[in-house]
Amino acid sequence: MDQDAAIDLRALSSTPELDLVERHRYGDPDAFDEIYRRFESMVYNLCLRMSGSASDAEDLAQEVFLRIHRHLGRFNGRSSLKTWVYRVTLNLCRSKLGRKRWPMRTLKDEDDEGGVELVATGRGPEDRAVDRDAARRVLEALDELPRKFREAVVLRDLEDLSYEEIAEVLGVRIGTVRSRISRGRDRLRRLLPPPGDEEGAP
């Protein structure tokens, strides 16, 4: 382990999360398995929303957990383990997907290989087609946002993080988080036409 990563966790107040980290540091494989089970869906969903590709999301999520396994000793309990994992995930996606834009993928029907299911099941084919088109337009609009606004909107409106958690993940003040979300939503509203105003609508 790197000297910088070595932390005397026993000197900190004991919490269940720090206990997990401590067990991992001392070679308990069940500790990392528990962390993986706890955050598997969360990490995959964020990777999927950032990449727009199920196959890319699987590759990204796998690499995220490799990084978590390698650097878990750096976790010091100043934030929750959840926000630390979000930060690791977001930083990896930034580096892998590019600094300016998240590449958009063609949204396939959910039955196609590699497709992404973005609409609720159990509805009629016409309703599902409308929902799928709406989801496509939202993703395309998100792709037009500057990265700092897109990240804040996704973490708040799709990942349902609190303002405090988003501030921890992004490393900014809560006031900055509120400003980015507000400006991001305003831009989305301008990019998304009201229902019935789409090009070619009667």
Side-chain angles (χ1 to χ4, degrees):
M1 178 179 296
D2 295 340
Q3 185 175 1
D4 292 340
I7 299 173
D8 186 5
L9 296 179
R10 287 169 294 187
L12 303 173
S13 298
S14 179
T15 68
E17 291 183 344
L18 289 175
D19 288 344
L20 272 177
V21 176
E22 182 86 350
R23 287 166 51 201
H24 172 73
R25 286 184 59 208
Y26 284 93
D28 181 354
D30 291 338
F32 184 76
D33 288 345
E34 184 174 340
I35 290 170
Y36 180 84
R37 288 191 299 269
R38 183 182 300 183
F39 297 112
E40 177 185 12
S41 295
M42 185 190 88
V43 168
Y44 175 80
N45 286 337
L46 182 56
C47 291
L48 179 62
R49 285 161 174 165
M50 293 187 69
S51 69
S53 164
S55 60
D56 286 352
E58 291 174 0
D59 292 340
L60 288 165
Q62 183 177 21
E63 189 164 349
V64 166
F65 281 106
L66 287 174
R67 287 195 177 188
I68 290 172
H69 188 276
R70 187 180 304 123
H71 299 296
L72 189 58
R74 297 180 185 273
F75 176 73
N76 55 20
R78 294 192 187 98
S79 64
S80 71
L81 188 57
K82 174 185 173 182
T83 56
W84 184 83
V85 170
Y86 262 113
R87 189 159 56 245
V88 172
T89 306
L90 188 60
N91 286 341
L92 177 71
C93 289
R94 283 172 175 173
S95 66
K96 293 294 183 179
L97 299 177
R99 303 181 65 181
K100 293 184 178 180
R101 296 174 68 82
W102 299 346
M104 289 296 296
R105 301 291 193 273
T106 299
L107 298 181
K108 304 178 182 178
D109 290 341
E110 66 276 9
D111 293 332
D112 291 345
E113 184 178 356
V116 180
E117 174 63 53
L118 294 171
V119 298
T121 58
R123 306 187 66 189
E126 292 184 3
D127 289 337
R128 288 167 62 81
V130 170
D131 287 349
R132 188 176 296 111
D133 183 64
R136 175 187 58 79
R137 288 187 286 110
V138 169
L139 286 178
E140 289 174 350
L142 280 170
D143 191 53
E144 295 296 321
L145 295 182
R147 190 189 71 187
K148 63 181 180 180
F149 297 154
R150 189 185 309 118
E151 290 175 350
V153 170
V154 166
L155 290 174
R156 177 58 181 167
D157 294 336
L158 298 181
E159 296 294 323
D160 200 30
L161 269 65
S162 69
Y163 290 101
E164 291 79 6
E165 288 173 328
I166 297 170
E168 288 277 0
V169 171
L170 299 180
V172 298
R173 296 179 178 179
I174 291 179
T176 301
V177 170
R178 293 183 184 277
S179 174
R180 291 181 182 180
I181 291 172
S182 177
R183 295 174 67 182
R185 287 171 175 170
D186 285 344
R187 293 198 183 198
L188 277 180
R189 280 191 284 267
R190 293 197 294 269
L191 289 166
L192 289 169
D197 285 357
E198 293 86 351
E199 184 178 351

